[in-house]
Amino acid sequence: MKHVRSRLLCMLMALSLVFSLAACGGGETPSGGEKNPEGPATAAPGKEGEIVVNVSDNVTMINLEVYANNNSCQFLYADMVFDPLYYGDRQGGNTPCICTGYELSEDGTEATLHIREGVKFHDGTDLTAKDVVATFEFILRNMDTLGLASAVWSNLEGVELIDDTTCKLKLSSYFATFEVSLTYTWILSDEDIENYGDDFQSAEKIINGSGPWKFVEWQDGQYASYTSNKDYWDPSVVSNIDKLSVWFVNQENAKVSGITSGDLDYAQSLRSDMVPMVEGKPGIEIIEYVSDVMYYLQFDCAADSVFSDPNARKAFAHAIDVDTMLNLVGGGEAMKCMFLKSLMGYDESIEGYEYNPELAKEYLAKTNYAQQQITLYSRNDLVSIDDVMAVFVQNLTEAGFNVATKICDSAEFVKIRQNPSEYDVFFVNLGAFDGDPYNLYIVPRIVDDCHNSYYKNEQLNQLIMDSYTNPDAAQREEMLKQVAQTVYEECGPVLAVYAPNGYCVIREGLEGVNATKCAGPYFRFARVDEAVWKK
Amino acid sequence: MLRSILKRVGYMLIVVWVVSVMAFVLMRCAPGDPTATMLPDTATEEQRAALTAELGLDQPYIIQYLRYMKGLLMGDLGHSTQYNQPCATIIAQRLPATLCVSLISAVIVLFISIPVGVISGVTRGSMTDFAMMFLVVILQSMAVVWVCVLLLLVFVVKLDWLPSMGYYGLAKPQYLIMPVIAMGYRMCAQVARMGRSSMIDVLNEDYITCAYARGLSKWEVYSKYALKNSLIPVITIYGLQVAAMLAGAVIIEQIFTIPGIGTMLVSAVNNRDYPMVQSSLIVTAAMFSLVNLVVDIAITFIDPRIKEV
């Protein structure tokens, strides 16, 4: 009996050992590709003579769908592997890419796109207008589930193939951000859509773009790797980097140790208190900028809310000490105009609301506010949000508000904003992509009132829509300035508070990184100065 | 014995079922749903309604649960809403990293903590005991985040001995060193302390005095009588700790960029990925129960008096 027990125990231990060793073998790569044999730069610099660059992004990639780009990492992937119709630097500059140019009909409801010849997908097949048409048809079929594409192409009604290099879009009306919409339209292969169906990317059967980088592999939770497409149609864009891996690192300490040890060559959005740890290190440059991300308040302006009265909103605006908040978030700029400086419509003549608790009390006294509790909501992923909310409470209490705060996660926050009259006021951030104030900002948030603020101002809405559909840029800008002025005078429904500083760290010799001030970086044009790099 | 094991497996299934119910109920109680993060916040009410219907979230809870359980019984863990892939595929990709780091930690802890506990127990009151327990208390007092940062500063930034991030399994063991230390140091301290106190208790038992009276040497008494009996509580604690490690360690995984199950679970909760959360919890509950079963079986081998597992 004793022998049997001993044998069983031995077997148990052996099984445990086998189990551990099997576990250590690693899983299949999600892309089905080969496991990255190189690893970070310093740990193993790759094959002899190969240029390997490792960069970090704050968020994790969750799938390989080009149009499900809900975070910066997905954008980055689409931007590198696929070609858009127009290339957007995300700061207002749009240049022809797959589409060499377009003509609009007189009423602006038809756009004829001219498609570049000689472009090939990574599998060697030609990219033609047929693929462009298939991509638009894919967008039209999936409008309900494609986040950004459905927002930027809400005016798209249909698409028609003219010939191999031409196609025509039918629009419900002209819209000012047409060119921006072209920058968010990455071309998929008609053949792939036909062969694999609409969710072919999620099934990872094929990643076939035409961009300057070829997809190598995605290690879920770790990194995505790309290699330079040496056959890219525009030789000036072909990178001399052999392998570029984007690591998903959201821990500040990991970023700092990665940069200082040489495992990382670029880190985005370093927290201000971590900057001194990399400052002065040889071969590392720190880039400081005021981000193109605004932190703003939105009020519940329904009839039964205290904030239906502009005086209450002005009391709120004068009560908050933005400079103290900026100190807590690592610096930045207080916003006076509702538009960031990079957005069309920014009006520097707007003076903003100064911090003045006495004036806030005066404004509050003009309202029928009876000390009912006001709940200020925010999201838990914002920088130093606990501290900022504490300042809000202190300032608002001093001005005479009875305020409570609630910090929620993203999913709860979205629900709160969806439900009618669920919030009194919320504080959140919004990136200013593409210098475009319309698609993500004033059209959905003011005209469509997607967050249920119940702010009603038909004149303002009309002004926004008139400007949105006006083809004359100068007139459009003037109209947007009027919008900014009206929102300032009304102090609602949105109140821009500040744009915080951002920091990114880059290794000397790494060039062409588009460190956008509002989202993650873009590496489409990344290359290295070999003389500096090899040192 | 076999009957007892089968009985225990039955209990395991009940535990897993209870966990599945709790995961289902708790996720539905949490504010928000998967559509909140799947669609941009500029999406229209119609778009949200269409997606809600597509995901079957417009059905009564009981129907949703029964559908999930039906799939589960047929071996389908569901389809992740954030990854747009089968949950089983994602878990299969993530589990090896968690298992690898946890099990290597567990094995190393076993070989360090039990000798430390035993030596400390038999040399109670000596300088050796004091030194070991001093170290153990220090280890237990250190927060995991702090230890991770310290490891990075020392081994990566200062000494440049180890890579800062990544996971390649046993193919590149240097990537495992820091995560394994971070995962195991506290457990090591805890098991060592338990080993010491258990050893001291056993050494005070009458049968130990009796063994000495029979003229056995110290080492014979320690190895034949004391060690075996002192291991019972140690193995129980050890088993619970190993089982807890298998559920993943979010902070360690995040800092060392390990694609484990912990970070995946946090991301699934934040995105209200119901199928992913439920499936991960079921898998970890099953692993937890399995480890406990193994521990119980191991205890019966150490102490044959404990027949009922």
Side-chain angles (χ1 to χ4, degrees), chain A residues 24 65 222 263 409 417-418, chain B residues 41 48 84 100 164 167:
Chain A
C24 294
E65 290 192 38
Q222 285 205 94
D263 289 353
D409 70 2
R417 297 198 296 191
Q418 275 171 14
Chain B
D41 52 9
R48 290 190 192 283
N84 197 11
C100 182
S164 63
Y167 167 80

Side-chain angles (χ1 to χ4, degrees), chain B residues 5-17:
Chain B
I5 292 173
L6 287 175
K7 199 171 153 190
R8 194 59 195 250
V9 170
Y11 290 151
M12 256 177 68
L13 292 175
I14 294 171
V15 167
V16 170
W17 174 70

Side-chain angles (χ1 to χ4, degrees), chain B residues 179-192:
Chain B
V180 163
I181 295 173
M183 190 82 102
Y185 79 94
R186 263 191 147 169
M187 179 183 171
C188 191
Q190 205 161 353
V191 174

Side-chain angles (χ1 to χ4, degrees), chain A residues 177-224:
Chain A
T177 54
F178 176 75
E179 225 169 69
V180 171
S181 298
L182 296 179
T183 70
Y184 286 109
T185 310
W186 294 281
I187 304 306
L188 308 172
S189 153
D190 168 42
E191 208 175 293
D192 292 341
I193 298 175
E194 205 171 292
N195 288 343
Y196 299 109
D198 280 357
D199 65 343
F200 69 100
Q201 302 280 357
S202 67
E204 294 162 15
K205 286 170 188 145
I206 190 158
I207 307 295
N208 188 22
S210 61
W213 295 86
K214 288 181 181 174
F215 174 78
V216 178
E217 63 163 340
W218 165 41
Q219 278 290 319
D220 179 26
Q222 285 205 94
Y223 61 84

Side-chain angles (χ1 to χ4, degrees), chain A residues 221, chain B residues 94 248-251 253-254 258-268:
Chain B
R94 293 288 193 133
V250 180
I251 294 289
E253 287 174 8
Q254 279 184 340
I258 296 170
I261 208 160
T263 43
M264 184 201 68
L265 189 53
V266 169
S267 162

Side-chain angles (χ1 to χ4, degrees), chain A residues 3-276:
Chain A
H3 285 301
V4 175
R5 273 212 307 271
S6 305
R7 278 177 197 168
L8 271 172
L9 191 59
C10 286
M11 275 173 64
L12 209 65
M13 287 174 73
L15 270 174
S16 307
L17 191 66
V18 169
F19 191 44
S20 345
L21 291 173
C24 294
E28 284 289 304
T29 60
S31 59
E34 195 188 324
K35 264 184 164 307
N36 178 16
E38 282 83 21
T42 300
K47 290 169 201 160
E48 188 68 32
E50 227 181 33
I51 298 176
V52 179
V53 170
N54 291 282
V55 298
S56 79
D57 198 359
N58 283 6
V59 293
T60 302
M61 200 167 189
I62 52 169
N63 59 47
L64 293 167
E65 290 192 38
V66 185
Y67 283 99
N69 35 28
N70 292 323
N71 67 40
S72 58
C73 225
Q74 308 287 128
F75 273 120
L76 199 151
Y77 153 73
D79 182 68
M80 291 172 80
V81 179
F82 293 83
D83 271 334
L85 287 170
Y86 261 51
Y87 181 74
D89 64 8
R90 305 290 165 242
Q91 289 166 67
N94 305 318
T95 47
C97 188
I98 292 297
C99 174
T100 53
Y102 62 90
E103 288 113 34
L104 286 167
S105 63
E106 249 180 59
D107 62 354
T109 58
E110 277 188 359
T112 306
L113 308 183
H114 301 287
I115 307 306
R116 189 178 296 279
E117 288 178 83
V119 178
K120 286 190 183 298
F121 284 106
H122 296 160
D123 68 355
T125 54
D126 289 327
L127 188 156
T128 66
K130 208 174 159 201
D131 299 295
V132 177
V133 169
T135 303
F136 276 113
E137 284 171 346
F138 166 85
I139 292 172
L140 282 166
R141 272 198 307 276
N142 295 282
M143 272 292 187
D144 284 347
T145 50
L146 300 180
L148 187 65
S150 65
V152 298
W153 284 117
S154 56
N155 285 17
L156 179 68
E157 286 186 336
V159 58
E160 186 191 332
L161 179 70
I162 308 293
D163 57 44
D164 265 5
T165 58
T166 323
C167 62
K168 195 179 272 182
L169 301 182
K170 276 198 74 68
L171 309 169
S172 56
S173 64
Y174 169 78
F175 55 107
T177 54
F178 176 75
E179 225 169 69
V180 171
S181 298
L182 296 179
T183 70
Y184 286 109
T185 310
W186 294 281
I187 304 306
L188 308 172
S189 153
D190 168 42
E191 208 175 293
D192 292 341
I193 298 175
E194 205 171 292
N195 288 343
Y196 299 109
D198 280 357
D199 65 343
F200 69 100
Q201 302 280 357
S202 67
E204 294 162 15
K205 286 170 188 145
I206 190 158
I207 307 295
N208 188 22
S210 61
W213 295 86
K214 288 181 181 174
F215 174 78
V216 178
E217 63 163 340
W218 165 41
Q219 278 290 319
D220 179 26
Q222 285 205 94
Y223 61 84
S225 284
Y226 308 90
T227 184
S228 174
N229 177 11
K230 304 291 183 198
D231 304 320
Y232 190 59
W233 56 269
D234 180 359
S236 69
V237 175
V238 176
S239 177
N240 58 350
I241 297 170
D242 295 298
K243 185 170 184 177
L244 190 143
S245 297
V246 181
W247 289 77
F248 315 131
V249 186
N250 66 359
Q251 276 284 329
E252 298 294 313
N253 291 300
K255 282 186 216 167
V256 167
S257 60
I259 280 285
T260 49
S261 65
D263 289 353
L264 284 178
D265 303 307
Y266 178 91
Q268 173 78 10
S269 308
L270 198 65
R271 229 172 45 206
S272 59
D273 56 333
M274 303 302 268
V275 171

